[in-house]
Amino acid sequence: MSRELHGRSPKVLLFDLLSALLNSWSLWDDIAGGEGPGRKWRMEYLKRTYATGAYVPYLDLVEDAADAVGLPRTLASRLEARWDELTPWPGSGTVLQGLARDRPLGVVTNCSDVLGRRAADLVGAPFRAVVTAESAGFYKPDPRIYRAGAEAMAAHTDEALFVAGSPFDVVGAHAAGLRVVWHNPAGLVGGEAERVADAVIRELAELRSLLA
């Protein structure tokens, strides 16, 4: 589902990092031993993270999610050790470099400062700001982390377009007052997210047409 963005052109672009720009799903699947357990683990992590509120150590949430779906808690430390194996969705770096010629780019991500910056470096894009749950003090979908992202870019929330990577993020950013595009290359299901998103795209390159 893709449609035109209405209203004035956004002043800045903010991106979810670990789902919208990086294919974290494949790494979690590999560590968990397959797509089935990997998807359960990651979806449990997302549900727990988006219900947490104030920041707690990121890897604690990853451990708790693994335990909740019957996987070893040690998978969290394995994820940390293999963090730099995260790979961008195809063409992400090139698309973002092109978008950066017209407006500044930033990241709002649910993880620690150290892991957030390491992950952002893997994308190969000129991000002006990388706002993490740790630096903001809150996990998405608390509106304060989205506002912190806009503030780091010297913009108001209504001047920013947020590119989400999960249905939870779409709903959270929309509730915080941002226009939202859902980049959904993993083919996730999210009825409420599809309803409130300005557009749903399967490839990041589609964002260029929406902004034209």
Side-chain angles (χ1 to χ4, degrees), residues 51-65:
T52 295
Y55 184 77
V56 299
Y58 170 75
L59 291 174
D60 287 357
L61 293 176
V62 179
E63 286 183 352
D64 291 344

Side-chain angles (χ1 to χ4, degrees), residues 141-203:
D142 191 291
R144 284 168 286 193
I145 186 173
Y146 298 104
R147 291 173 191 154
E151 289 170 4
M153 304 289 286
H156 299 292
T157 53
D158 62 358
E159 296 176 313
L161 176 69
F162 186 77
V163 180
S166 77
F168 305 101
D169 213 3
V170 173
V171 175
H174 175 76
L178 287 81
R179 284 185 290 170
V180 189
V181 169
W182 183 10
H183 180 219
N184 186 22
L188 304 178
V189 176
E192 176 70 4
E194 292 179 0
R195 186 184 69 80
V196 303
D198 288 81
V200 181
I201 59 178
R202 294 298 294 266
E203 296 183 5

Side-chain angles (χ1 to χ4, degrees), residues 16-26 39 42 86-96 122-123 164-165 183-188 202-205:
D16 168 65
L17 179 59
L18 299 177
S19 296
L21 298 181
L22 293 167
N23 179 10
S24 55
W25 302 92
S26 293
R39 186 62 60 97
R42 181 138 174 84
L86 290 167
T87 56
W89 293 107
S92 294
T94 300
V95 170
L96 293 177
L122 299 173
V123 179
H183 180 219
N184 186 22
L188 304 178
R202 294 298 294 266
E203 296 183 5
L204 200 62

